């Protein structure tokens, strides 16, 4: 551009000297820029340019810029040009750039001379000019009087018509003024032209003949806000109301809408001395939503004579209001009539003023700056030059075009967006230049203006200026996360209508409404293919990557969303394309549009993406936001909405869940982005906002409705002018000329099906016919390989877990396997299609047999039957079948003699093939007990080996008996619970082949539920030792327990499944070891009866059986396999239930039954009679129907009973199959839980929980209550892999219960002569490696307890504490030990929490954390109730008292340790081990004073005990001065002593503190009972426990004597210890003295009781 300043001054040094030339001038040395973005940029650039030209340097003036936090974060470019920055509050402009108070305050704070406002924000606020004037600060702009007069649309129009300017017909047409008087009270004048209500508006329309179309305008609106076009009179009232709402309290006026008009502006400049000139005109007709897009100067459409009149009127208006500084008079020009009309005067600088600067060779901001300092226009050289050129007629020789660059999407109604600029490149030339408010890395924040740049170009005429502007826009390169309209503008500039200057102000809006978009440079078929493939790939890959990330973070979710196909909807130029995209590989995608198909390859080269379609490669970039896809394909920028915009009035839910409420009232206007409703999903509340268009809400959903994604929540009533911009699109129904199908072989298609890739909908029959034999074998083998990891009988998550537990799992491959498995039905259909084509099975025998085995194990029944029919020999013997009702048994007999293991295996599988083939053809029969008879000469060992190898297949085929008959004997293998058991018979013996009985079926049913039939559990106990048992049942009349002991009756009930209750109970007596019989009550669930659910009969038997255990003081064992409380509905009512709908025929009104049912079910319902209907109020049901809350009452009863049982007797629970609800609670209340590895302990099932959450979150019950959960949280004390192991573990725990006897020494294990107890051989270092080494021995070395006796519990929970039971010289003992080493704690992920992930946390050793303190207290509680003495190996430095652990209740759980120890009834040894330490709170919770006489603290010779560690004590108690005194006493001068000497003395002080923590002081103060060495601990513990156990037992016998008041446990123990203090021979005391001492106490007690009776009164 040419010089926009002026020639250099002769004396440029000081600006004050420059201003002294002006009359009354005032210098400006500091300016506050009260604006941001382009306005601030242009001011800084232009004024500095003038300063540089005028004073050689721009430093004579300092520029202070206002910034907000938003602007700083966005790295706004204008801030880089500032000399100083002052901060204003963040947020909308009302808090900063438009806030008069804030601007004035910052101006005063910054001590500026002037404030520059530019355009927008506070630029037209007269209050700002007034405030600044009062504070003696210059406002660079017009006076407040001029702003009031010209800035108000109503007042300015009144002035215009008063001075004779043409005005459009409007509501204030007859209001005029004679002169511009004091406008302090202009409200009276404005009120004469103001419309105060819609009613007044209708009157004005009629009075002035305004008519439609008309504009309804708020005088304080602007930028498209507060303005509505009314085209129909019936819309007037509604549109008037909208304007009122958009600009509250603003005066409103009506104006005739001028059609086919041009928007022309006149740039005026005035000084403070009354001089006003009109610079160039501008044409700003190209607008959208009343906002300018393209501007040009001059307005060449206006004839020269008309332009002279326009300028004359503009100057007259300015003079009338005493206007100075820059301003713009806006006019409407109608080319067809050459008429023009006043629109308004903008009392500020306009955005497009550089157009005028270019053609007039002036610098408008610099003119404003000089005028503000008091300079006359006639004294400004560039103004003089302009006037001279104007006189010569030379001012219109240049033409300038300008285009605004905005972060708006031209393909979506120019909607604005926010985002970040990655890079911005533009090279200015002499013909084109630009201003930008952003640079690389800048962001557009939510409060920023959408205009980010302004590009200008000039030429010798309009045509050349257009060409130069197009070149400039082509050279503009913006890489940003938001769209811009620069490409759209290039297309617009190229249109003939624009080039020929034949358009009006409505033209662009009409194009936008018609969705006329930019031209495309590539064929539409190519763009659609690449766009669909890129978007489809993004959708598919994101799903797979999200699933893979779930696996990596420990979440196994159901693959319900995992799919290699997706639907893509694209819209280009109002045409919609609906495509299906199928992923064949992550780089290859198959597309389908109607009946046409094509393939696109997606490659990566470097950082770029390349798409290959039909042999043509094209680069592309895909980005996406929450609402749209943005894709650039070879220079074509496309945007595709993620929503269906065809019906913008339809409001759909994006969530699954429960509808909560509407946040706006019906009929209330809702803006785009406004929250209109709330939905509860996944136990969280989500806002639902409008996405497409504003409108009035018509509600449809009701509070509490369950909804899914896509559910219609409501509708919007959308205004016509908005609806016109939302034209519906047409569906594409043509042909893609460039699309061709890539041919695939049948084998390739079949491979894709097996992998779950591609279209997956090929015609199987046609496909398999084209396969050759080798192909079929390959496909069968691949099918087997893909099916191998998954088992339908296992939970999906268990299969996935196995894959994840493999060494170095490849997550991507695992996800591929999971997805392939989701298409199992299609894959089975393919393989079965192949099987149908097999003519010669021998060719495929190996693959078919492998397939059969897979089908058998994976439960692919149909395929197994097909394979079996192909493979089974035609010559085999027919099966013998026996049936009983719907149960059946099959018998296979092989008459051919076999002689080897191989032949036996073949014979077994022939039998299995026969069973499978036969059973598939017999409907409605469950084959549950099949038998195989084979004639064979083979050893028992060989036979057992063959059956063990094939056990899985035999079990899957329902084989329960196998008879192998040789010449010498018959080997009878029968399935019992968990394995085949062998019984050897003579060769002539053969058990009778019988039809199946109910137990066979129930065993099968229990097996499907992953458990053992409940009546087989006695057999499991009997396999351990001699068992006597009686079944417990409830007498229906007396409701008392009855015992069934008859062996035949017991067998009959078990075989026939005669129980009528799903709880079964026994009283059992088991010989667990020689001469050691244990009696206990066994309570179990029969999962085959009412799915093991609890109702009143079950609760009653459970409670009575448990009470029996408490009465007999014997253990209670619960086999827990159930479905929780039974649920149901009143069947009689349900069978006759009817529904009444509301009159609209859609909504539910009420429920009723016919009145004819009153007599039959009237007592089962609460109702209101109305006519022939009984309207239901409530349902009661039949008595003893057990369908609802009564079952919860019973659940409470057995919960309370179990809690009491735990406190009184040892309670154990074995969880097998599943335990739900109250079943889970009774298990937890029993505390000592053994859990089968495949069982679940849950409150709510995964299916029910997924329904509650509104999404399939949890893959199975295993994710909620499997052993991974329950062993990690301490609920499950032990886990087992079979029911046999479960029973063995129960019996093992029973063995730790002490066996008492009446005679001294009261315990069988103590009733032996004292023998030498072995020394402990494990050393300190080995102990500190793992505390288990000292507990159970290490590497053959003796530990504290007997070899092999330690049974650890809760191994996976709180690993810093080790708990379990052991034996010391045969004495059962509870053991708790603390670890020295750190350990890792695994925190599991929760699938319902999106950002949850599995993490591993490292915990330090020798510290109690919340979970380890809880584990300790729980173990103490359990061992106490088992009457076990307790040994605690305690090397603990204290409790973790950090913020999180305090929040997680470490204090509470630490207190629980004290609670439990204070109630302990048996001797407790707290041993501080060798090299160990017990400090602070850790000592406090195990101190002997917690339970005197019970707790005994034993210290090792090398241990330590104290409050803090020595170095911490020294830091607190021995300061530097104290150390100095010690040094002086030691003969060392403390001044300037070397650091090494200081360190030596500090170490000595630490050693001194450590001496306070050694055993001599602990013993001296009575903190410990005894000192020992690690080697002697075993002997010391044995001696102490033996003595203390005897004393405790004597005390128990004393406390049970009839003494008043009854002594407590501690009082009784104290009484005994006083009398045995000097008695070494406890046996002698007990035998000779104890009874006499007790008798004396009884006599004393009698006297006390009589005295109490004498003094008692009511």
């Amino acid at each position: 551009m040419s010089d926009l300043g002026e020639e250099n001054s002769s004396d440029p040094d000081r600006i004050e000297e420059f201003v002294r030339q002006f009359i009354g001038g005032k210098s400006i040395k500091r300016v506050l820029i009260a604006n941001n973005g382009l306005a601030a940029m242009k001011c800084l650039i232009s004024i500095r340019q003038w300063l540089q030209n005028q004073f050689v340097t721009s430093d004579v003036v300092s520029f202070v810029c206002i910034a907000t936090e938003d602007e700083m974060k966005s790295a706004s470019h204008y801030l880089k040009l500032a000399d100083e920055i002052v901060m204003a509050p963040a947020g909308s402009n009302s808090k900063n750039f438009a806030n008069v108070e804030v601007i004035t305050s910052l101006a005063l704070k910054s001590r500026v001379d002037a404030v520059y406002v530019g355009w927008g924000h506070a630029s037209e606020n007269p209050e700002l000019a007034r405030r600044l004037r009062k504070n003696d600060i210059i406002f660079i702009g017009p006076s407040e009087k001029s702003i009031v007069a010209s800035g108000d649309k109503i007042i300015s129009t009144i002035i215009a018509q008063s001075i004779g300017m043409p005005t459009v017909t409007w509501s204030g047409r007859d209001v005029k003024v004679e002169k511009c008087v004091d406008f302090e009270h202009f409200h009276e004048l404005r009120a004469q032209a103001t419309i105060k209500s819609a009613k007044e508006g209708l009157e004005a329309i009629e009075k002035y003949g305004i008519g439609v179309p008309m504009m309804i305008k708020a005088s304080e609106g602007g930028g498209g806000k507060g303005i509505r076009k009314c085209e129909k009179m019936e819309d007037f009232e509604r549109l008037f109301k909208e304007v009122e709402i958009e600009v509250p309290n603003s005066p409103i006026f009506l104006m005739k809408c001028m059609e086919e008009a041009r928007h022309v502006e006149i740039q005026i400049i005035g000084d403070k001395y009354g001089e006003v000139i009109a610079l160039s005109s501008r044409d700003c007709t190209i607008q959208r939503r009343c906002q300018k897009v393209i501007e040009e100067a001059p307005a060449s459409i206006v004839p020269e004579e008309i332009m002279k009149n326009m300028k004359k009127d503009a100057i007259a208006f300015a003079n009338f209001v005493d206007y100075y500084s820059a301003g713009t008079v806006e006019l409407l020009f109608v080319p067809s009539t050459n008429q023009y009309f006043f629109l308004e005067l903008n009392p500020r600088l306009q955005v497009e003023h550089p157009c005028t600067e270019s053609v007039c060779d002036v610098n408008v901001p610099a003119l404003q700056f000089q005028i503000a300092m008091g300079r006359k226009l006639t004294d400004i050289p560039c103004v003089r030059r302009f006037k001279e050129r104007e006189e010569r007629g030379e001012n219109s020789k240049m033409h300038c075009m300008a285009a605004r660059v905005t972060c708006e999407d031209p393909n979506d109604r120019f909607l604005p967006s926010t985002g970040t600029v990655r890079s911005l490149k533009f090279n200015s030339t002499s013909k084109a230049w630009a201003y930008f408010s952003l640079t690389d890395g800048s962001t557009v924040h939510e409060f920023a203006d959408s205009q980010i740049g302004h590009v200008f170009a000039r030429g010798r005429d309009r045509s050349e200026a257009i060409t130069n502007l197009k070149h400039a826009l082509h050279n503009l390169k913006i890489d940003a996360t938001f769209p811009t309209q620069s490409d759209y503008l290039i297309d617009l500039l190229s249109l003939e209508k624009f080039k020929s200057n034949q358009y009006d102000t409505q033209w662009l809006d009409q194009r936008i409404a018609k969705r006329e978009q930019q031209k495309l440079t590539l064929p539409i078929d190519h763009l659609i293919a690449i766009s669909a493939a890129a978007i489809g790939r993004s959708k598919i890959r994101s799903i797979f990557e999200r699933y893979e990330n779930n696996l990596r973070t420990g979440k196994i979710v159901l693959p319900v969303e995992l799919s290699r196909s997706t639907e893509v909807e694209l819209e280009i130029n109002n045409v919609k394309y609906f495509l299906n995209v199928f992923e064949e590989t992550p780089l290859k995608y198959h597309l389908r549009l109607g009946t046409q198909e094509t393939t696109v390859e997606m490659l990566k080269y470097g950082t770029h993406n390349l798409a290959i379609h039909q042999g043509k490669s094209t680069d592309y970039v895909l980005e996406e936001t929450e609402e749209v896809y943005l894709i650039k394909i070879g220079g074509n920028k496309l945007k595709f909405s993620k929503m269906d915009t065809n019906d913008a009035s339809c409001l759909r839910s994006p969530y699954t869940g429960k509808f909560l409420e509407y946040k706006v009232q019906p009929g209330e206007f809702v803006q785009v982005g406004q929250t209109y409703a709330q939905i509860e999903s996944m136990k969280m509340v989500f806002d639902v906002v409008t996405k497409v268009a504003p409108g009035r809400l018509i509600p449809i959903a009701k509070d509490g409705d369950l909804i899914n994604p896509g559910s219609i929540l409501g509708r919007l009533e959308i205004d016509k002018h908005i609806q016109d911009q939302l034209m519906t699109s047409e569906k594409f129904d043509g042909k893609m000329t460039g699309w061709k199908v890539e041919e695939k072989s049948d084998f390739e298609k079949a491979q894709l099906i097996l992998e779950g890739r591609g279209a997956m909908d090929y015609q199987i029959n046609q496909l398999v016919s084209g396969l050759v034999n080798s192909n079929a074998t390959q496909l069968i083998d691949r099918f087997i390989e893909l099916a191998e990891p998954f088992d339908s009988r296992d939970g999906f998550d268990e299969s996935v877990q196995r894959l994840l537990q493999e060494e170095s799992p490849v997550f991507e491959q695992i996800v591929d396997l999971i997805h392939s498995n989701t298409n199992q039905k299609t894959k089975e259909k393919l393989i079965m299609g192949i099987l149908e084509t097999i003519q010669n099975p021998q060719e495929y025998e190996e693959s078919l047999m492998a397939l059969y085995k897979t089908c058998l194990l994976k439960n692919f029944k149909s395929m197994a039957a097909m394979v079996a029919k192909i493979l089974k020999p035609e010559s085999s013997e027919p099966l013998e079948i026996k049936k009983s009702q719907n149960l059946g048994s099959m018998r296979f007999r092989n008459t051919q003699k076999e002689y080897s293991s191989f032949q036996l295996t073949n014979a077994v599988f022939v039998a299995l093939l026969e069973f499978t083939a036969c059973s598939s053809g017999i409907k409605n029969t469950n084959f549950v007990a099949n038998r195989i008879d084979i004639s064979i000469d083979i050893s028992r060992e060989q036979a057992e080996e063959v059956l063990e190898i094939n056990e899985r297949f035999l079990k899957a085929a329902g084989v329960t008996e196998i008879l192998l008959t040789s010449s010498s004997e018959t080997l009878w293998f029968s399935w019992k619970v968990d394995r085949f058991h062998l019984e050897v018979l003579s060769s002539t013996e053969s058990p009778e082949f019988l039809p199946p009985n109910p137990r066979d079926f129930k065993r099968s049913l229990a097996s499907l539920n992953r458990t053992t039939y409940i009546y087989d559990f006695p057999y499991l106990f009997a396999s351990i030792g001699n068992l006597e048992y009686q079944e417990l049942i409830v007498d229906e009349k007396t409701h008392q327990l009855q015992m069934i002991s008859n062996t035949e009756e017991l067998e009959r009930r078990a075989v026939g499944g005669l129980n009528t209750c799903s709880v079964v109970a026994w009283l059992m007596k088991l010989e667990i070891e020689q001469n050691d019989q244990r009696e206990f009550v066994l309570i179990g669930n029969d999962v085959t009866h009412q799915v093991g659910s609890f109702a009143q009969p079950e609760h009653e038997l459970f409670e009575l059986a448990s009470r029996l255990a408490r009465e007999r003081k014997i253990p209670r064992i619960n086999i827990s396999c159930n479905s929780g409380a039974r649920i149901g509905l009143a069947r009689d009512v349900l069978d006759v239930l009817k529904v009444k709908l509301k009159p609209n025929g859609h909504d539910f009104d009420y429920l009723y039954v016919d009145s004819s049912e009153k007599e039959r079910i009237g007592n089962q319902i609460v109702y209101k009679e109305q006519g022939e209907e009984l309207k239901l109020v409530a349902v009661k049901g039949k008595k003893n129907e057990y369908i609802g809350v009564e079952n919860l009452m019973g659940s409470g009863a057995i919960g309370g009973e179990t809690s009491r049982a735990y406190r009184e007797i040892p309670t154990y629970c074995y969880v097998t199959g599943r335990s739900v609800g109250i079943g889970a609670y009774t298990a937890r209340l029993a505390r000592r839980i053994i859990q089968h590895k495949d069982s679940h302990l849950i409150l709510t099932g995964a299916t029910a929980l997924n329904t509650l959450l509104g999404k399939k979150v949890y893959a199975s019950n295993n994710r909620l209550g499997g052993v991974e959960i329950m062993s990690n949280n301490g609920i499950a004390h032990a886990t087992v892999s079979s029911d046999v192991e479960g029973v063995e573990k129960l019996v093992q725990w029973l063995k730790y219960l002490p066996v008492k006897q009446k005679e001294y020494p009261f315990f069988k294990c103590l009733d032996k002569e004292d023998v030498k107890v072995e020394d402990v051989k494990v050393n300190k270092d080995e102990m500190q490696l793992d505390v288990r080494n000292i507990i159970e021995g290490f590497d053959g070395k003796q530990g504290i307890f007997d070899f092999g006796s330690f049974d650890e519990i809760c191994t996976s929970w709180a690993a810093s504490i080790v708990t379990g039971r052991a034996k010391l010289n045969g004495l059962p003992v509870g053991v708790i030990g603390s670890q020295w080493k750190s350990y890792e704690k695994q925190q599991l992920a929760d699938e319902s929490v999106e950002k949850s992930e599995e993490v591993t946390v490292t915990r330090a050793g020798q510290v109690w954390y919340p979970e380890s303190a809880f584990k300790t207290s729980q173990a103490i509680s359990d061992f106490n109730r088992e009457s076990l003495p307790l040994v605690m190996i305690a090397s603990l430095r204290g409790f973790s008292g950090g913020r999180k652990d305090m929040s997680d209740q470490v204090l509470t759980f630490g207190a629980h340790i004290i609670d439990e120890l204070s109630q302990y009834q048996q001797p407790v040894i707290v041993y501080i081990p060798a090299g160990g330490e017990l400090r602070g709170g850790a000592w406090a919770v195990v101190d002997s004073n917690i339970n005197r006489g019970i707790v005994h603290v034993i210290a090792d010779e090398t241990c330590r005990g104290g409050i803090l560690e020595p170095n911490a004590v020294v830091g607190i108690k021995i300061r530097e001065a104290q150390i100095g005194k010690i040094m002086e006493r030691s003969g060392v001068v403390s001044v300037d002593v070397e650091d090494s000497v200081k360190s030596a003395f500090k170490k000595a002080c630490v050693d001194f503190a450590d001496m306070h923590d050694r055993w001599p002081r602990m013993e001296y103060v009575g903190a410990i009972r005894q000192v020992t060495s690690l080697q002697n601990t075993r002997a010391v513990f044995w001696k102490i426990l033996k003595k203390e156990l005897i004393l405790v037992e004597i005390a128990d016998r004393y406390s049970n004597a009839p003494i008043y008041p009854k002594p407590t446990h501690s009082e009784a123990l104290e009484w005994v210890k006083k009398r045995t203090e000097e008695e070494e021979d406890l046996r002698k005391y007990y035998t000779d003295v104890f009874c006499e001492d007790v008798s004396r106490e009884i006599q004393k007690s009698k006297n006390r009781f009589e005295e109490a009776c004498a003094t008692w009164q009511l």
Side-chain angles (χ1 to χ4, degrees), residues 432-494:
W433 67 100
Y435 305 100
F436 295 99
S437 61
L438 304 175
T439 56
D440 295 358
S442 297
T443 61
V444 179
H445 58 80
E446 60 182 308
F447 303 111
D449 187 6
S450 63
Q451 185 178 356
I452 60 171
H454 216 159
V455 181
F456 299 87
R458 61 180 176 178
R460 287 166 295 183
D461 53 31
R462 186 172 184 270
S463 177
E464 187 176 282
I466 291 173
T467 300
N468 291 339
L469 181 58
K470 285 168 64 178
H471 284 310
L473 290 172
H474 271 299
N475 291 329
L476 172 61
K477 306 296 181 185
I478 300 179
D479 182 13
T481 60
F482 51 78
T484 65
Q485 31 54 306
S486 55
D487 289 342
Y488 183 89
L489 296 178
I490 294 171
D491 289 347
L492 201 65
L493 293 169
S494 303

Side-chain angles (χ1 to χ4, degrees), residues 1562-1583:
M1562 289 188 262
E1563 186 179 59
Y1564 174 71
V1565 298
I1568 59 175
R1569 169 171 170 164
Q1570 188 173 338
V1571 181
T1572 184
S1573 66
L1574 181 60
Q1575 181 182 4
N1576 293 329
T1577 50
R1578 182 170 163 82
V1580 169
F1581 292 177
W1582 167 250
K1583 184 177 179 182

Side-chain angles (χ1 to χ4, degrees), residues 305-325:
E305 286 302 314
I306 303 295
M307 181 57 68
K308 287 181 180 178
N309 292 336
M310 286 181 174
K311 289 184 176 181
K312 180 181 175 183
D313 284 343
I315 292 170
F317 189 105
N319 285 328
F320 191 86
V321 298
D322 297 331
Y323 196 91
Y324 58 80
S325 195

Side-chain angles (χ1 to χ4, degrees), residues 1359-1489:
S1360 65
I1361 296 293
V1362 174
T1363 57
R1365 301 169 184 86
K1367 291 187 178 180
L1368 177 60
N1369 209 19
L1371 172 67
V1373 180
V1375 181
I1376 299 173
S1378 61
Q1379 290 281 28
W1380 273 263
K1381 62 183 181 181
S1382 61
Y1383 73 101
E1384 291 183 340
K1385 176 189 175 186
Q1386 188 182 44
Q1387 295 178 343
L1388 301 179
D1390 185 346
E1391 285 88 343
S1392 70
V1393 180
E1394 185 177 349
K1395 294 185 179 179
S1396 171
E1397 60 181 70
E1398 189 174 286
V1399 294
T1400 301
V1401 179
T1402 301
R1403 299 283 214 189
Q1406 301 186 85
V1407 176
W1408 260 319
Y1409 292 94
E1411 68 274 14
S1412 55
F1414 185 33
K1415 178 178 181 177
T1416 303
S1417 68
Q1418 288 286 284
I1420 295 171
S1421 177
D1422 290 347
F1423 299 152
N1424 186 26
R1425 285 158 178 80
E1426 295 170 36
S1427 299
L1428 293 177
L1430 173 63
V1431 174
M1432 294 183 69
I1433 302 171
S1435 178
L1436 291 152
R1437 293 172 289 146
F1439 287 84
S1440 172
R1443 178 182 174 89
K1444 183 178 187 306
D1445 290 328
M1446 289 297 285
S1447 173
D1448 289 343
Q1449 304 189 67
V1450 69
L1451 188 61
T1452 300
F1453 297 129
H1456 284 348
I1457 296 174
I1458 298 176
D1459 284 340
E1460 297 301 337
L1461 276 180
S1462 68
Q1463 300 172 50
Y1464 215 85
Q1465 304 288 301
Q1466 304 301 321
V1468 177
I1469 290 176
V1470 177
Y1471 170 53
I1472 312 174
E1477 53 187 322
L1478 191 61
R1479 299 189 183 278
W1483 184 301
V1485 301
V1486 297
D1487 184 71
S1488 58
N1489 287 306

Side-chain angles (χ1 to χ4, degrees), residues 888-954:
S889 292
M890 295 178 284
R891 180 185 185 187
F892 170 86
R893 284 181 290 187
N894 184 15
T895 56
Q896 181 181 339
K897 197 77 167 179
E898 309 290 356
Y899 295 96
S900 66
S901 298
F902 176 75
Q903 289 177 326
L904 175 57
T905 301
N906 284 345
V908 164
F909 275 100
V910 168
L912 299 186
L913 291 169
E914 291 284 357
F915 290 157
T916 305
C918 179
S919 61
S920 67
I922 302 175
K923 305 299 182 185
N924 304 319
T925 302
N926 288 312
F927 289 94
V928 294
N930 300 321
R931 174 166 154 179
I932 299 174
D933 289 12
I934 298 175
S935 177
I936 188 168
D937 274 325
I938 194 172
S939 70
R940 296 180 192 177
E941 292 76 15
Q942 288 176 307
E944 288 176 333
E945 183 183 357
V946 169
L947 297 187
E948 184 180 349
I949 292 172
N950 296 294
E951 187 179 281
R952 294 181 304 155
F953 305 110
L954 292 165

Side-chain angles (χ1 to χ4, degrees), residues 810-828:
V810 180
F811 287 93
E812 186 177 354
Q813 292 178 8
I814 292 173
V815 177
D816 288 343
L817 278 172
I818 291 169
H819 174 258
S820 173
N821 187 60
T822 63
N823 297 285
Q824 188 62 33
K825 295 297 182 186
T826 307
K827 294 195 296 182
E828 287 181 35

